Amino acid sequence: MRATEHDPLTVRRRPACPRAAVLVLHGGQADSERAARPWQLAALRMGPVLRAVSAGLPYEDVLVAQARYRVRGWNGERADPVRDTVRALDAIAELAGTVPTVVLGHSMGGRAALRAAGHPLVTGVVALAPWWPPGEPVAQTAGRHVVALHGERDHVTSPLETAECVRRVQGVTARAGMGVVADGDHGMLRRYGFWHRTAAALVAHLLDPGGAPDPLPSGAYGVGKFPVI
């Protein structure tokens, strides 16, 4: 499906009768009103992740799409990517109906995914090296499955802040956890194959918990220190 300048999403895989969907969100900047473009590095970085997710789906009839941001930045209280994510989810509903949807986001996209978790389509969130600053709201995650992966050597966003946010999410939803990627960096370049495989396996598990195994150890969902994987 070819996207136009005003489309809220680019569809990468569109089965005739989708029974579920995956929405992918790329990263961005804290503040910028410059137009977002699909050839920017943050968007291009998600290409291999998209391919891994598509290859690892538990069944064929899953719609896979990438959100299109209007601008590059979060921009304070405007939270522009959240508005774009909601528009993209509404567009999925128009294309596929009320199908269970997993939102996968990297960095700023992980923050947008968490904020949009209350959308009626969303059943799960997978956040990669998310930007979850202190005080990020979590009430909207009730009833959702939320999982974060964060590199232990990330110097752009904080694995400690992600862990704190996951702990608060655990207080409002039945299933929330985190894995710390050994030697992992923010761009997911170190051990990139592991990032891709694990993200794809998490998406598959959230779509089909009974049929697709969880790639994370049980300790990822416990009350102790989150495991290094």
Side-chain angles (χ1 to χ4, degrees):
M1 178 178 177
R2 179 176 295 177
T4 68
E5 187 71 19
H6 302 290
D7 283 339
L9 78 171
T10 300
V11 177
R12 303 297 184 184
R13 174 173 172 168
R14 185 178 182 181
C17 297
R19 69 159 121 166
V22 179
L23 178 64
V24 176
L25 312 175
H26 62 78
Q29 300 175 14
D31 297 288
S32 176
E33 295 189 7
R34 297 176 64 187
R37 297 288 185 241
W39 55 82
Q40 290 161 358
L41 289 178
L44 292 175
R45 178 61 189 90
M46 298 308 286
V49 178
L50 271 161
R51 291 190 289 273
V53 167
S54 295
L57 292 172
Y59 27 79
E60 294 183 357
D61 47 354
V62 179
L63 184 149
V64 179
Q66 189 168 14
R68 291 168 58 90
Y69 301 149
R70 292 162 295 114
V71 296
R72 299 186 190 188
W74 182 269
N75 300 321
E77 292 183 0
R78 278 173 35 185
D80 285 311
V82 181
R83 295 163 59 195
D84 296 332
T85 300
V86 171
R87 290 173 61 238
L89 289 165
D90 289 343
I92 289 175
E94 292 180 6
L95 290 172
T98 307
V99 295
T101 300
V102 172
V103 184
L104 167 69
H106 174 236
S107 192
M108 183 185 77
R111 189 178 185 186
L114 188 72
R115 288 280 186 102
H119 190 281
L121 290 191
V122 177
T123 57
V125 169
V126 177
L128 309 177
W131 174 31
W132 287 348
E136 192 66 14
V138 298
Q140 73 281 1
T141 64
R144 276 65 174 176
H145 189 159
V146 178
V147 186
L149 297 178
H150 213 125
E152 65 176 355
R153 295 178 61 181
D154 192 330
H155 301 298
V156 178
T157 57
S158 169
L160 293 178
E161 289 179 356
T162 294
E164 188 276 333
C165 187
V166 170
R167 290 300 184 203
R168 291 190 296 113
V169 173
Q170 288 179 330
V172 298
T173 191
R175 190 76 166 157
M178 176 180 174
V180 180
V181 179
D183 200 38
D185 61 331
H186 187 71
M188 306 181 294
L189 300 177
R190 296 190 188 98
R191 301 184 67 201
Y192 63 88
F194 179 83
W195 281 98
H196 299 168
R197 291 191 302 273
T198 307
L202 282 169
V203 169
H205 176 66
L206 266 61
L207 290 172
D208 184 15
D214 190 335
L216 299 186
S218 59
Y221 303 95
V223 297
K225 188 175 180 180
F226 291 120
V228 177
I229 56 178

